[in-house]
């Protein structure tokens, strides 16, 4: 294995003694020839990196798709009356699959190369983001269920960490930790907490999670349930919207406005069904609207 960094250093040093043509000594001519060879080698290393990308990316893309299917098994777990002494089966499946990927696929590649680093990061990021989304979409969830999910969050971090340091995912790592904290937060405090106000947790993930707190889940169905879509189809829709998002701008959540409108309509219907309830359910309605209005204020139709 040849390190491009080493070649770069050698090439630079080789060219350090370059002098104008016609005044080259035999030693300088050797240096010039070596510099030319190193330049050619650097170009070939770029080609080799592209080939490596073309090999490893399809493999890990396929592996990531399979991991997504395992994450979806989260919805087969009982988060209403869970067995807190048992590891969630989908977590065990994810751990086993990641171990297989590490020992049967990744060991074939040089872990110090850019293609390896980039591909592993992409796979880890997708598993973590997909997990957070599916965790937020699970309904219903009891207090014991939140404890079970909290344990799952710690275990998914450990599992993904076998192929990539989750802390290096930056914003996604922060969202994973913040979502875990959000689970145990009082409903009324959710719209005002730092995790939500600073969008550490994606606002749609916050809204989806709040749906899991409904006293009567059938009266507050999640958007995909209400529209008769599968979780896979709904996730694909959200992925397409995410591709349209203007990251890092004030408009980065604008592409989700129609999704918020659908959620808002469901909340209106839920409020009507619980109009005599001035307790927790009224607080839930207020919390959902508080989060939604913070990111998608009403459009000004007067201009």
């Amino acid at each position: 294995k040849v390190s491009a960094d080493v070649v770069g250093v050698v090439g630079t040093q080789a060219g350090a003694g370059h002098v104008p043509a016609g005044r080259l000594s035999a030693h300088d001519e050797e240096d010039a020839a070596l510099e030319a060879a190193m330049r050619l080698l650097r170009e070939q290393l770029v080609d080799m990196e592209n080939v490596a990308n073309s090999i490893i990316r399809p493999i890990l893309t396929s592996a990531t798709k399979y991991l997504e299917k395992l994450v979806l098994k989260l919805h087969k777990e009982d988060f209403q009356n869970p067995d807190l002494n048992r590891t969630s089966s989908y977590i065990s499946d994810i751990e086993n699959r990641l171990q297989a990927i590490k020992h049967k696929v990744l060991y074939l590649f040089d872990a110090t190369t850019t293609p390896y680093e980039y591909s592993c990061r992409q796979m880890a990021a997708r598993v973590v983001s997909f997990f957070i989304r599916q965790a937020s979409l699970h309904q219903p969830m009891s207090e014991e269920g939140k404890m079970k999910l909290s344990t799952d969050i710690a275990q998914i971090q450990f599992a993904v960490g076998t192929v990539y340091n989750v802390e290096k995912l930056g914003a996604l790592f922060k969202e994973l930790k913040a979502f875990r904290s959000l689970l145990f937060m009082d409903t009324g405090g959710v719209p005002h907490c730092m995790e939500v106000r600073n969008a550490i947790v994606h606002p749609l993930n916050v809204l989806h999670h709040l749906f899991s707190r409904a006293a009567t889940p059938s009266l507050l169905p999640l958007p995909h349930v209400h529209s008769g879509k599968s979780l896979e189809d709904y996730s694909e829709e959200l992925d397409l919207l995410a591709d349209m998002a203007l990251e890092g701008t004030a408009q980065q959540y604008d592409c989700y406005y129609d999704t918020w409108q659908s959620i808002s309509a469901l909340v209106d219907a839920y409020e009507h069904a619980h109009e005599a309830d001035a307790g927790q359910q009224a607080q839930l309605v207020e919390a959902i609207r508080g989060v939604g209005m913070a990111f998608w204020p009403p459009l000004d139709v007067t201009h």
Side-chain angles (χ1 to χ4, degrees):
K1 297 174 182 176
V2 181
S3 167
D5 291 336
V6 172
V7 171
V9 171
V10 173
T12 301
Q13 292 175 341
H18 178 71
V19 294
R23 293 160 51 190
L24 293 177
S25 65
H27 179 72
D28 290 334
E29 288 179 353
E30 290 179 3
D31 281 353
L34 181 58
E35 181 180 10
M38 288 300 179
R39 188 182 306 113
L40 178 61
L41 183 55
R42 283 195 296 270
E43 292 172 357
Q44 292 176 339
L45 283 172
V46 171
D47 292 338
M48 289 170 62
E49 185 171 298
N50 291 334
V51 171
N53 274 324
S54 68
I55 294 173
I56 192 171
R57 284 185 184 175
I59 294 173
L60 294 188
T61 296
S62 177
T64 302
K65 288 294 183 183
Y66 189 85
L67 287 166
E68 287 179 14
K69 293 183 182 300
L70 296 181
V71 172
L72 284 169
K73 291 173 65 178
L74 174 153
H75 299 287
K76 295 182 179 180
E77 291 288 330
D78 183 1
F79 288 96
Q80 190 67 6
N81 298 291
D83 179 357
L84 297 179
N85 296 315
R86 182 183 66 84
T87 300
S88 297
S89 60
Y90 78 97
I91 290 290
S92 298
D93 291 342
I94 291 171
E95 289 176 341
N96 292 336
R97 177 57 57 170
L98 284 169
Q99 285 292 337
I101 292 170
K102 179 179 180 180
H103 295 296
K104 295 182 179 180
V105 177
L106 295 181
Y107 88 98
L108 297 170
F109 300 91
D110 183 355
T112 64
T113 61
T114 300
Y116 180 97
E117 170 84 8
Y118 176 82
S119 297
C120 286
R121 179 185 177 87
Q122 291 294 98
M123 179 173 66
R126 178 58 179 176
V127 172
V128 170
S129 64
F130 196 74
F131 170 80
I132 297 172
R133 178 186 294 168
Q134 298 310 318
S136 74
L137 283 167
H138 189 82
Q139 186 189 46
M141 186 174 297
S142 66
E143 291 303 312
E144 291 78 10
K146 292 177 184 179
M147 294 175 62
K148 176 182 175 66
L149 183 56
S150 176
T151 300
D152 289 355
I153 289 173
Q155 291 179 322
I156 200 77
Q157 179 181 338
F158 177 79
V160 175
T162 62
V163 296
Y164 191 82
N165 183 354
V166 179
E167 293 185 13
K168 292 172 67 176
L169 292 177
L172 264 179
F173 174 63
K174 292 179 181 178
E175 182 175 12
L176 185 65
K177 292 199 304 179
F179 183 78
R180 190 180 188 184
S181 299
L182 193 69
L183 293 176
F184 304 101
M185 198 170 294
D186 180 72
T187 299
V190 169
H192 314 291
C193 71
M194 179 186 68
E195 291 86 348
V196 173
R197 286 190 292 106
N198 295 340
I200 297 174
V201 180
H202 193 289
L204 278 187
N205 288 335
V206 176
L207 292 171
H208 291 150
H209 167 66
L210 286 173
F211 271 53
S212 72
R213 302 189 180 199
T216 312
S218 61
L219 294 180
L220 187 59
L222 285 156
H224 71 281
V225 175
H226 177 73
S227 59
K229 297 174 183 174
S230 67
L231 282 162
E232 293 93 330
D233 289 341
Y234 186 54
S235 281
E236 286 182 9
E237 284 186 11
L238 296 182
D239 285 340
L240 291 174
L241 292 175
D243 290 339
M244 298 165 54
L246 302 174
E247 295 291 339
T249 71
Q251 295 79 35
Q252 72 178 89
Y253 299 114
D254 287 2
C255 57
Y256 301 103
Y257 183 80
D258 288 343
T259 306
W260 159 242
Q261 288 298 297
S262 299
I263 290 174
S264 181
L266 292 172
V267 172
D268 289 344
Y270 183 73
E271 182 182 37
H272 180 72
H274 286 271
E275 58 186 357
D277 185 355
Q280 288 187 340
Q281 299 317 299
Q283 188 181 60
L284 175 61
V285 168
E286 183 179 347
I288 294 175
R289 285 183 177 150
V291 173
M293 298 289 278
F295 291 94
W296 302 281
L299 296 176
D300 186 353
V301 297
T302 62
H303 296 286

